[in-house]
Amino acid sequence: MSNVRVAGTGLTPFGNTPERTSRDLFAEATVAAFEDSGVPREDVEALFYGNFMGELSEHQGHQGPLMAEAAGVQAPATRYEAACASSGTAVRDAVVRIRNGEADVVLVGGAERMTNLGTAGATEALAIAADDLWEVRAGMTFPGAYALMAQAYFEEFGGEHEDLAHIAVKNHENALTNEKAQYQSAIDVEDVLEAPQVSSPLGLYDSCPISDGAAALVLTSDEYAEEHDLDAPVAITGTGQGGDRLALHDRDHLARSPAAREAGEEAYADAGVSAADVDLAEVHDCFTIAEVLALEALDIEQVGEGISAARDGRTTADGETPINLSGGLKAKGHPVGATGASQIAEVTKLLAGDHPNSEHVPDATTGVAHNAGGTVASATVHVLEEVGR
Amino acid sequence: MSNVRVAGTGLTPFGNTPERTSRDLFAEATVAAFEDSGVPREDVEALFYGNFMGELSEHQGHQGPLMAEAAGVQAPATRYEAACASSGTAVRDAVVRIRNGEADVVLVGGAERMTNLGTAGATEALAIAADDLWEVRAGMTFPGAYALMAQAYFEEFGGEHEDLAHIAVKNHENALTNEKAQYQSAIDVEDVLEAPQVSSPLGLYDSCPISDGAAALVLTSDEYAEEHDLDAPVAITGTGQGGDRLALHDRDHLARSPAAREAGEEAYADAGVSAADVDLAEVHDCFTIAEVLALEALDIEQVGEGISAARDGRTTADGETPINLSGGLKAKGHPVGATGASQIAEVTKLLAGDHPNSEHVPDATTGVAHNAGGTVASATVHVLEEVGR
């Protein structure tokens, strides 16, 4: 099997641009990705595209062909939807396609337009990622669901809001150098604790924002990269996906994410690495508690210990395993369909030494991207490794 | 590479069941598919699921994990959306996964709940498969779009409504033995010509109905089928996908479907067959004119000649190449997300000799399934072959 090289990455700024359509956003991200890659558009054999709520925010389904057009490529295009893990699943199928020799060059990415719905509208739209019959109609929204998970975690393992606050502080700190981030502003623990409560114990600064944005990746086979002398020093060497019951009340534990564990184990085995080899990771911190659960599912932290990781400095920029050096969903922003692909873009740049925060991880060779949908009913994990220039 | 065996198929009745949720429909289809296959649910490694308008008809996105649960499988699940070709794209990625040894057993399928929206609501929901900014806001709906394609065809190649009427008559005739079909009623050419006009030249009987329903397929590798001594005499031996500009006004020709041609050429080459080898096909006849364009794109008919195929008996049940022996979308029904998978189910049974209409094609060994999205901005083609019991 061939490795899958990340030949180019492109991101729009993530933020509040309600007037921009998703086709507009995706076009911008792909211009950057093609420029970064040096790959001509004519070589693209397929587009794998993630989008979550286009039907509701833009009255637009069937975005695959539309986005191929926006990207300027003539190739079959498929839209993947797994809630907030939409472009994670798109990356996964792209990796399978390339490494088995079924394609040499593919475009992968995602986009989401959300802020045009307003905060209440976007929250309602996001809720379609939960079980409509048994959760949403009972009033559940995602801040409430993650608050339940946080309460369950505190009850089982201990911890308090202040521990979570350190995660938000860390991710805002990491985003200070990220010019594409929605928030480039430092906050402190006091700010988090004093922010308005959203759903106990989670407050405003425990929650990622509602965002517009797009991300694009040009992926190629080893053979193509070598033949065309591409500057593509990072490869996706492992892919994994896990699934769980959609509704929270059907789970055995609220403070575990077996779908992410399954995805992580599969991806590690696929790449031939273990959690101990992971030098850095981008994980799906839609809420601060989600970062804790992700670290434990990925075996970067032991179960019950992830809560102290940021507070004790193990996951800060100069810690043992820096987490969300991009700023994470929390500070970078979370345009849902773009998030999974954007994580791959960030890990690629960090490993290649092309990221403003690469200075914190000069010797890093192995990184992980963890993308989750709903209350982690869907999860994808990808392992990236530096394979050399 | 391994062949991909169709080990089991399951369909719900297609029709008018507005009270049934898509999870309910998909559960029924999967029960039938597992029973038909003899494969235990525990062996399923992934679910590839197609759905188009769940966000609008059920306020339900993130259907992958929900449908894994409905099917009783614990496996990662991804939802594919390519408008009316949604489950065609799901089948395609499933085939790639299996034939490269990345999985031995997968569940594929799709479901759609539509009639709860009412006719006007469903027509409006279907329109999200077109370009919202440039088509839908100008008043375009799919009957109108396909009517334009029919007018363009008549202008370039000749033909008249009566020619199209023979397609509707044939497909209703074929559905008479299909107990899952939405319409089991014979019609004649007069009925079609006298039916209320929908969009000139297309009338009510030129149009497929709005339908609820689900389809499921259990696919396995050759190795798994042999090891478990499955009765799975039909394999998917070729897969292809094509794409086109989303909006009709961006096409060079209204009376051509290059995306379907591209998908067909890829699938034929992949299977090592040519159009001359095709003994029967299920094609995407959402409107009568769509069957004409599909046959020409698949090289089953020469360009400009497909219009006379049904009238002259070349595609009737006892013709040279019977088309839509299931009744097609026209008479069997078109629950959008289920259609692509249901076509694979029908071709499988026809080739295996397990279909009520198999008696018309006793020597058939090669069949094709053609699934299209929008005005064929997306198309998938799969080649199925009898590989023996």
Side-chain angles (χ1 to χ4, degrees):
Chain A
M1 287 201 299
S2 175
N3 273 326
V4 177
R5 301 287 191 96
V6 186
T9 69
L11 303 176
T12 64
F14 284 6
N16 195 356
T17 54
E19 74 289 359
R20 296 189 70 183
T21 58
S22 54
R23 68 186 84 181
D24 176 20
L25 294 164
F26 193 62
E28 178 181 333
T30 58
V31 165
F34 282 114
E35 193 174 301
D36 185 39
S37 71
V39 172
R41 285 172 170 76
E42 305 82 74
D43 285 4
V44 170
E45 292 160 82
L47 166 62
F48 299 73
Y49 173 78
N51 174 261
F52 173 43
M53 56 168 68
E55 291 85 352
L56 301 179
S57 65
E58 299 191 291
H59 204 251
Q60 187 65 66
H62 204 190
Q63 291 197 12
L66 193 67
M67 294 303 162
E69 189 179 330
V73 301
Q74 287 195 314
T78 303
R79 178 251 185 140
Y80 292 75
E81 187 270 312
C84 305
S86 292
S87 56
T89 60
V91 170
R92 178 167 166 75
D93 272 332
V95 166
V96 170
R97 204 71 73 89
I98 291 176
R99 72 182 186 181
N100 289 296
E102 300 233 0
D104 278 309
V105 181
V106 306
L107 179 64
V108 189
E112 207 76 57
R113 183 183 186 187
M114 302 174 70
T115 67
N116 64 323
L117 290 168
T119 305
T123 303
E124 194 182 330
L126 284 162
I128 64 168
D131 187 324
D132 182 62
L133 294 185
W134 300 104
E135 295 186 317
V136 184
R137 293 186 191 198
M140 204 203 77
T141 58
F142 278 96
Y146 275 91
L148 286 172
M149 293 158 83
Q151 297 285 13
Y153 188 97
F154 289 169
E155 188 160 316
E156 188 170 357
F157 304 114
E160 54 185 10
H161 190 200
E162 191 170 335
D163 298 314
L164 296 177
H166 284 276
I167 295 169
V169 169
K170 164 180 76 66
N171 292 349
H172 272 256
E173 174 77 20
N174 289 342
L176 290 176
T177 58
N178 184 348
E179 59 178 19
K180 301 287 174 70
Q182 189 158 355
Y183 301 127
Q184 286 181 268
S185 53
I187 58 172
D188 61 25
V189 168
E190 282 305 300
D191 292 328
V192 181
L193 295 178
E194 286 168 11
Q197 190 175 85
V198 174
S199 184
S200 171
L202 305 177
L204 191 62
Y205 280 127
D206 291 281
S207 314
C208 73
I210 289 162
S211 318
D212 307 305
L217 309 168
V218 178
L219 304 184
T220 78
S221 62
D222 264 345
E223 295 71 24
Y224 182 96
E226 278 152 27
E227 202 178 304
H228 294 78
D229 204 22
L230 300 183
D231 180 31
V234 175
I236 302 175
T237 56
T239 178
Q241 184 178 357
D244 203 345
R245 309 289 290 264
L246 188 62
L248 212 48
H249 57 249
D250 285 326
R251 312 274 177 83
D252 291 332
H253 296 279
L254 294 189
R256 302 279 196 293
S257 300
R261 177 167 294 280
E262 189 184 339
E265 285 172 356
E266 185 183 0
Y268 290 156
D270 201 28
V273 303
S274 74
D277 299 313
V278 175
D279 298 311
L280 59 88
E282 293 287 310
V283 307
H284 196 95
D285 60 323
C286 47
F287 297 93
T288 47
I289 183 66
E291 180 166 314
V292 176
L293 300 181
L295 295 180
E296 297 184 2
L298 292 169
D299 267 344
I300 292 172
E301 288 283 326
Q302 295 303 303
V303 171
E305 295 178 10
I307 187 71
S308 62
R311 188 194 68 206
D312 293 352
R314 297 194 295 281
T315 53
T316 51
D318 294 310
E320 218 169 294
T321 313
I323 300 297
N324 286 327
L325 279 169
S326 69
L329 284 59
K330 174 67 201 81
K332 184 182 65 169
H334 180 30
V336 171
T339 288
S342 79
Q343 294 174 317
I344 303 278
E346 301 283 356
V347 173
T348 299
K349 287 189 202 159
L350 284 162
L351 294 178
D354 297 334
H355 194 283
N357 281 340
S358 287
E359 60 174 339
H360 297 290
V361 284
D363 302 322
T365 58
T366 304
V368 160
H370 157 277
N371 191 201
T375 47
V376 204
S378 296
T380 62
V381 173
H382 288 92
V383 175
L384 289 87
E385 294 182 80
E386 197 182 358
V387 292
R389 278 203 153 89
Chain B
M1 287 201 298
S2 175
N3 273 325
V4 177
R5 300 287 191 97
V6 186
T9 70
L11 304 175
T12 64
F14 285 7
N16 195 356
T17 55
E19 74 289 358
R20 297 189 70 184
T21 58
S22 54
R23 68 187 84 183
D24 176 18
L25 294 165
F26 193 62
E28 178 181 331
T30 58
V31 165
F34 282 114
E35 194 174 299
D36 185 40
S37 70
V39 172
R41 284 173 171 75
E42 306 83 75
D43 286 3
V44 171
E45 292 159 83
L47 166 61
F48 299 74
Y49 172 78
N51 174 260
F52 173 44
M53 56 168 69
E55 290 85 353
L56 302 179
S57 65
E58 300 191 291
H59 203 250
Q60 186 66 67
H62 205 189
Q63 291 197 12
L66 193 68
M67 294 303 161
E69 188 179 331
V73 301
Q74 287 196 315
T78 303
R79 178 253 186 138
Y80 293 76
E81 187 269 312
C84 305
S86 294
S87 56
T89 60
V91 170
R92 178 165 166 78
D93 272 332
V95 166
V96 170
R97 204 71 73 89
I98 292 177
R99 72 182 185 182
N100 289 295
E102 300 234 0
D104 277 309
V105 181
V106 306
L107 179 64
V108 189
E112 207 75 56
R113 184 183 186 186
M114 301 175 70
T115 66
N116 66 321
L117 291 169
T119 305
T123 302
E124 195 182 328
L126 284 162
I128 65 168
D131 187 324
D132 181 61
L133 294 185
W134 299 105
E135 294 185 318
V136 183
R137 293 185 190 197
M140 204 204 76
T141 58
F142 278 96
Y146 275 91
L148 285 172
M149 293 157 83
Q151 295 286 14
Y153 188 98
F154 289 170
E155 188 160 317
E156 186 171 358
F157 303 114
E160 54 185 8
H161 190 200
E162 189 169 338
D163 298 314
L164 298 177
H166 285 274
I167 296 169
V169 170
K170 164 181 75 67
N171 292 349
H172 272 256
E173 174 77 20
N174 288 342
L176 290 176
T177 58
N178 183 349
E179 59 179 18
K180 302 286 174 71
Q182 189 157 353
Y183 300 128
Q184 286 181 268
S185 54
I187 57 172
D188 60 25
V189 168
E190 282 305 301
D191 292 328
V192 181
L193 296 178
E194 286 168 11
Q197 190 174 85
V198 174
S199 184
S200 172
L202 306 177
L204 191 62
Y205 281 127
D206 291 281
S207 315
C208 73
I210 290 163
S211 318
D212 307 305
L217 310 167
V218 178
L219 304 184
T220 78
S221 63
D222 263 345
E223 295 70 25
Y224 182 96
E226 277 152 27
E227 202 177 305
H228 294 78
D229 204 20
L230 300 182
D231 179 31
V234 175
I236 301 175
T237 56
T239 178
Q241 185 177 356
D244 203 346
R245 309 289 291 264
L246 188 61
L248 212 49
H249 57 249
D250 285 326
R251 312 273 178 83
D252 291 331
H253 296 278
L254 295 189
R256 303 279 196 294
S257 300
R261 176 167 295 279
E262 189 184 340
E265 284 172 357
E266 185 183 1
Y268 291 155
D270 200 27
V273 304
S274 73
D277 298 313
V278 176
D279 297 311
L280 58 89
E282 292 286 311
V283 306
H284 197 94
D285 60 322
C286 47
F287 298 93
T288 46
I289 184 66
E291 180 166 314
V292 176
L293 299 180
L295 295 180
E296 296 183 4
L298 293 170
D299 267 342
I300 293 172
E301 288 283 328
Q302 297 303 303
V303 172
E305 294 178 11
I307 187 70
S308 63
R311 189 193 68 205
D312 293 353
R314 296 193 296 280
T315 53
T316 51
D318 294 311
E320 219 168 295
T321 312
I323 300 297
N324 286 328
L325 279 169
S326 69
L329 283 59
K330 173 66 201 84
K332 184 182 65 168
H334 180 31
V336 171
T339 288
S342 80
Q343 293 174 318
I344 303 278
E346 301 283 358
V347 173
T348 300
K349 286 189 204 160
L350 284 161
L351 293 178
D354 297 336
H355 194 284
N357 281 340
S358 287
E359 59 174 339
H360 297 291
V361 283
D363 303 321
T365 58
T366 305
V368 159
H370 157 277
N371 191 199
T375 46
V376 204
S378 296
T380 61
V381 173
H382 288 92
V383 175
L384 288 87
E385 294 182 79
E386 197 182 0
V387 293
R389 278 204 152 88

